[in-house]
Amino acid sequence: QVQLVESGGGLVQTGGSLTLSCAASKSIFDINIMGWYRQPPGKQRELVAAITTSGRTNYAESAKGRFTISRDNAKGTVYLQMNSLKPEDTAVYYCNAKKWFTTYESDYWGQGTQVTVSS
């Protein structure tokens, strides 16, 4: 089991920056993929960015060039640096951990942190 706790959300103006943090209850050396998802009001949850144990990253088109995901395996922490924020980035942001086993995958989620971008 892995518990995830997000922090760093808040209210920011258009063009501003925020850094989200996700603290895991243990080191994440054995977590194959750490990711950030978001759920805008009235919409489905969507992937924002993900990073593998080796540091390979994947970004949603809307995040490319503006957001940066990073992870510190020893500290058990994942970060999402968000720059040039837009009102459409307003959402609840969730941290996700995926651990692969031989025959199945375990998914862990944080409780979410609200990001609101004012125009």
Side-chain angles (χ1 to χ4, degrees), residues 8-28:
L11 174 65
V12 64
Q13 291 186 333
T14 297
S17 298
L18 281 175
T19 300
L20 305 183
S21 298
C22 171
S25 55
K26 65 179 191 66
S27 69
I28 54 175

Side-chain angles (χ1 to χ4, degrees), residues 34-36 49-51 57 59 67-71 78-81:
M34 296 295 301
W36 286 96
I51 184 168
T57 58
Y59 294 93
F67 295 1
T68 302
I69 188 170
S70 60
R71 65 190 283 172
V78 180
Y79 305 95
L80 185 68
Q81 173 67 44

